[in-house]
Amino acid sequence: MFIQTESTPNPATLKFLPGQNVLEVGTADFPNAEAAQHSPLAQRIFAAGGVAGVFFGIDFVTVTKADGAEWDHIKPGILGAIMEHYQSGQSVMAADHKPVSGHADHSGEDGDIVTQIKELLDTRVRPAVAQDGGDITFHGFDRGIVYLHMQGACAGCPSSTLTLKMGIENLLRHYIPEVIEVRPVAA
């Protein structure tokens, strides 16, 4: 098995490409080791040491290193953990894991606007940020403000504010006049 790695715009995050599907659908975010209880693969990666967060996409694993950890020291352990996992034949996620779209549910009078926001995120934004090892999902909409949750390489990325304001906000405002502003939310 050959696992490729790619840098991301976030220097604290690397994207690992195992050459096969990680998830069948959706994404999975593990912002800490405790959150990894439903994923044998995420548990192995955290156990390698120096890992602050793990994120799964369809065909990639994004790992965020802990403060003070150096990629030269922790990358071999992470590669070993991923390789060992795939050779073990274990599933990536526990049987009780239910894939989700990642978007928060929204009910209320703005339902049509929220549907348009989610559609634009799914077709224009999420595929682009997945290339960088991350994901951006809808969190809420209130009085013209769209709240988005940034995951994987996008969380804590130095260029995330620019991506939100210059990219996503301009896109949503162009297609949906009711959108005034886009703001990030913490997990």
Side-chain angles (χ1 to χ4, degrees):
M1 173 178 213
F2 179 71
I3 302 169
Q4 293 180 307
T5 59
E6 293 180 359
S7 59
T8 71
N10 184 346
T13 305
L14 272 181
K15 183 176 173 183
F16 294 80
L17 299 148
Q20 51 192 291
N21 274 6
V22 177
L23 295 177
E24 293 299 320
V25 294
T27 61
D29 189 27
F30 308 98
N32 55 52
E34 293 77 39
Q37 65 184 347
H38 297 291
S39 171
L41 175 56
Q43 289 174 352
R44 284 182 201 250
I45 294 169
F46 276 106
V51 174
V54 177
F55 179 80
F56 298 156
I58 299 290
D59 63 350
F60 66 88
V61 174
T62 301
V63 178
T64 303
K65 69 180 182 72
D67 290 340
E70 297 294 330
W71 283 119
D72 290 344
H73 297 123
I74 66 170
K75 185 176 168 183
I78 295 167
L79 287 166
I82 295 170
M83 190 172 301
E84 182 181 289
H85 178 81
Y86 278 99
Q87 289 174 343
S88 77
Q90 276 189 296
S91 63
V92 171
M93 299 299 294
D96 61 352
H97 169 73
K98 303 284 185 257
V100 295
S101 72
H103 295 305
D105 291 330
H106 180 86
S107 58
E109 60 193 51
D110 297 323
D112 291 341
I113 295 169
V114 169
T115 299
Q116 291 176 54
I117 292 168
K118 289 179 180 180
E119 185 176 320
L120 281 169
L121 289 173
D122 287 342
T123 59
R124 301 279 186 102
V125 176
R126 293 177 82 185
V129 296
Q131 293 293 318
D132 286 336
D135 196 14
I136 296 177
T137 56
F138 174 81
H139 186 79
F141 179 74
D142 185 34
R143 291 181 241 150
I145 300 172
V146 178
Y147 296 92
L148 300 177
H149 182 224
M150 303 177 85
Q151 300 172 306
C154 296
C157 177
S159 61
S160 64
T161 302
L162 186 64
T163 300
L164 270 181
K165 292 296 181 185
M166 302 306 287
I168 300 167
E169 185 176 288
N170 287 344
L171 174 79
L172 293 178
R173 288 174 60 189
H174 175 78
Y175 287 103
I176 307 167
E178 293 86 354
V179 172
I180 298 167
E181 184 182 358
V182 173
R183 293 183 188 167
V185 295

